[in-house]
Amino acid sequence: MKYSFYTSSSSQEVLDSFGISISTGLSAEQVRENQNKFGLNRLAQHDVTWWHVLVRQIGSPFFYLLVGAAALSFFLGELLSGSMIVIFALINV
């Protein structure tokens, strides 16, 4: 399929290339053929649960950066700073 044909042609030429009439549209047979060839005109749907989001957030580099910063703060004796960073890490998740 050459896309340049469709971008440089008139709308009537494009309709003619697909065998479509603007007044009648696709025939029932053309619809069945297209559905058999290309499938139904539907987007794939995925269920997203809360734990999928949780796992994705825990796997993010930003989360590890916050955990590392909190560990460093606790190691250096900065309990308030470390606690705040942990709180922000939990908010991020």
Side-chain angles (χ1 to χ4, degrees):
M1 178 185 298
K2 294 184 82 175
Y3 294 105
S4 61
F5 168 76
Y6 301 110
T7 58
S8 62
S9 301
S10 69
S11 58
Q12 188 58 48
E13 290 172 328
V14 173
L15 290 171
D16 291 342
S17 72
F18 285 107
I20 300 171
S21 168
I22 195 136
S23 60
T24 59
L26 293 172
S27 68
E29 179 61 30
Q30 287 173 313
V31 171
R32 279 192 297 277
E33 286 177 15
N34 285 343
Q35 284 178 344
N36 289 335
K37 185 176 181 181
F38 302 111
L40 296 176
N41 191 15
R42 292 191 182 149
L43 296 175
Q45 292 181 333
H46 301 285
D47 292 332
V48 178
T49 60
W50 66 270
W51 59 274
H52 282 117
V53 175
L54 180 68
V55 168
R56 188 174 60 224
Q57 287 297 99
I58 289 175
S60 75
F62 184 66
F63 177 77
Y64 292 122
L65 179 70
L66 288 175
V67 169
L72 182 62
S73 292
F74 286 129
F75 177 74
L76 295 175
E78 297 290 331
L79 298 179
L80 181 62
S81 296
S83 300
M84 293 302 293
I85 294 171
V86 167
I87 290 170
F88 284 119
L90 293 175
I91 289 172
N92 180 55
V93 170

